[in-house]
Amino acid sequence: MNDIYDALNHVSMDLDGYTPVPLTAGEKERQVRRLLAAEKGPRPAVRIHRRRWAVLAAAAALTACLAVGAGAAHAWSGDFAAFLGLGGGADSLGDMSKGLGLSQTLPGGTVTLEGVLGDDYCIYLPFTVEAPQGQVLDGTLDYGFDNCTLYSDASNGMVQHVQMLPDDDPTDNKLRFVMMASSTEPLRGKTAEATVWNLFSYPTDTSRLHDEDAVVPGRFEFSFRLDYEDRSVLVSDQSTDVGLGWPLARLELSPVSVYLELDGLPEDEMNPAFDASVVLIGADGSRQALVSDWEYEQTGQGIPALGFASGEKTVFQLFRAIDPAQYTAIEVNGVSFPLAGSAG
């Protein structure tokens, strides 16, 4: 492995020898969204543990799977509940959460997938990385992975994020992270595969990332099914003009996402719902807009979320879970859609 890395570290390319390949319409849309997002605030470094970093993953066809254990809601730890903004614990989300308890041990350490929580379009996967006894993983330092990805056999790509959870004991041998992913194709019931490969501690010499430099070396791989209850609420399936150029054909709200689907959007058109204003109206009259993670960190106002669009569909993954029953309406570009069965 060392020889392979050394060879790659000295590779050079003559860019003049390559012929440019035109981007497809979908690839152009993704590049434009990425550039627009970069203008809204500073981009976190890929390997900084205090901020979530994003990975765009192509869909993969998978065959092997391990069934998620049936039963009641998984008893999530307090730090994951706090991450979702749930003071009473993530168990309040009921069967949206299922325990996995999948663990793999290699000579360099152990990785355990604790469980999965989500809806049709968004999932959260907390996991623990454990070094051998006697080795310290100090959570006040910066960490990152050679590779930390989550794939599914959904028919399109997924947007992913990884964030380190608070480290209650910086003197022990464990760190906890959460993988997040969103897709415009339903994820629930699909086969998934997670890879956690080489945990590094920073600062380090970024010109070389050899296996022997990892604090927890090894490629940990898991296959399982995304089997949990979807608690999404259908807000509207009536074609409605919300000023996006194409009618809003479907609107859904769940404790962890907002889903919008336009009607008639051409394939080569960028989805305007990606930049739509989305506001949740509370039973007390409060207004909580969906904002970027960066905006939330600056102001503490609104609900931090990240949008992902593909074709006619847009998903806003919430980084703070909500109770849809506590809201009376949801506004899209100022057009109000009432929520049936709310607390109001």
Side-chain angles (χ1 to χ4, degrees):
M1 181 62 75
N2 194 45
D3 293 339
I4 294 175
Y5 280 116
D6 287 339
L8 291 174
N9 286 338
H10 294 89
V11 167
S12 62
M13 296 187 350
D14 180 9
L15 298 180
D16 293 333
Y18 289 85
T19 301
V21 178
L23 294 176
T24 66
E27 289 169 338
K28 287 180 181 178
E29 179 181 339
R30 286 193 293 270
Q31 291 293 339
V32 170
R33 290 201 308 270
R34 181 182 62 81
L35 293 172
L36 288 175
E39 294 177 356
K40 295 181 180 179
R43 292 173 62 85
V46 169
R47 299 180 184 274
I48 295 180
H49 80 281
R50 298 178 188 87
R51 301 283 301 277
R52 56 182 66 91
W53 60 88
V55 181
L56 182 62
L62 305 173
T63 54
C65 70
L66 294 176
V68 176
H74 179 58
W76 299 105
S77 58
D79 52 3
F80 180 63
F83 165 78
L84 286 175
L86 298 168
D91 290 351
S92 62
L93 296 178
D95 288 341
M96 281 187 69
S97 61
K98 294 289 188 180
L100 287 176
L102 301 179
S103 186
Q104 184 179 7
T105 299
L106 299 177
T110 300
V111 171
T112 301
L113 304 187
E114 299 173 18
V116 59
L117 180 149
D119 60 18
D120 255 1
Y121 305 107
C122 297
I123 51 178
Y124 297 81
L125 186 73
F127 65 99
T128 300
V129 179
E130 184 176 351
Q133 287 294 331
Q135 180 179 338
V136 173
L137 296 179
D138 183 355
T140 64
L141 304 178
D142 291 342
Y143 290 90
F145 298 92
D146 237 346
N147 185 285
C148 186
T149 53
L150 180 66
Y151 294 92
S152 85
D153 55 359
S155 61
N156 71 338
M158 296 167 58
V159 169
Q160 298 181 33
H161 317 273
V162 182
Q163 180 168 314
M164 182 174 167
L165 294 172
D167 184 19
D168 294 333
D169 186 355
T171 66
D172 68 7
N173 63 332
K174 298 179 182 179
L175 293 174
R176 300 185 65 245
F177 300 83
V178 57
M179 280 189 259
M180 298 161 275
S182 59
S183 169
T184 55
E185 295 297 326
L187 294 166
R188 190 167 57 100
K190 299 293 186 179
T191 304
E193 185 171 274
T195 299
V196 178
W197 186 10
N198 284 349
L199 177 69
F200 291 95
S201 175
Y202 293 86
T204 188
D205 181 2
T206 56
S207 67
R208 49 168 280 145
L209 294 178
H210 298 184
D211 288 350
E212 61 266 27
D213 297 326
V215 293
V216 178
R219 182 174 184 134
F220 303 84
E221 298 178 300
F222 305 87
S223 294
F224 51 97
R225 294 196 71 82
L226 298 171
D227 184 14
Y228 46 83
E229 179 181 330
D230 178 18
R231 293 202 168 183
S232 298
V233 176
L234 175 60
V235 181
S236 173
D237 59 358
Q238 303 298 313
S239 183
T240 307
D241 182 9
V242 294
L244 295 175
W246 290 269
L248 179 62
R250 191 174 184 87
L251 176 62
E252 296 181 21
L253 177 66
S254 95
V256 293
S257 76
V258 177
Y259 172 83
L260 301 92
E261 184 173 336
L262 301 183
D263 183 21
L265 181 72
E267 286 187 14
D268 58 348
E269 287 285 342
M270 182 174 176
N271 193 323
F274 180 77
D275 294 315
S277 167
V278 179
V279 180
L280 296 180
I281 311 301
D284 59 356
S286 61
R287 299 173 57 86
Q288 291 183 292
L290 303 193
V291 298
S292 70
D293 193 29
W294 180 80
E295 290 175 295
Y296 182 79
E297 288 185 354
Q298 303 304 306
T299 66
Q301 302 296 314
I303 301 172
L306 183 73
F308 170 51
S310 178
E312 299 177 329
K313 304 171 182 179
T314 299
V315 176
F316 291 96
Q317 182 168 26
L318 309 184
F319 296 141
R320 291 290 183 274
I322 65 165
D323 179 1
Q326 300 304 311
Y327 296 89
T328 60
I330 179 170
E331 286 184 2
V332 179
N333 274 4
V335 179
S336 181
F337 296 85
L339 294 173
S342 66

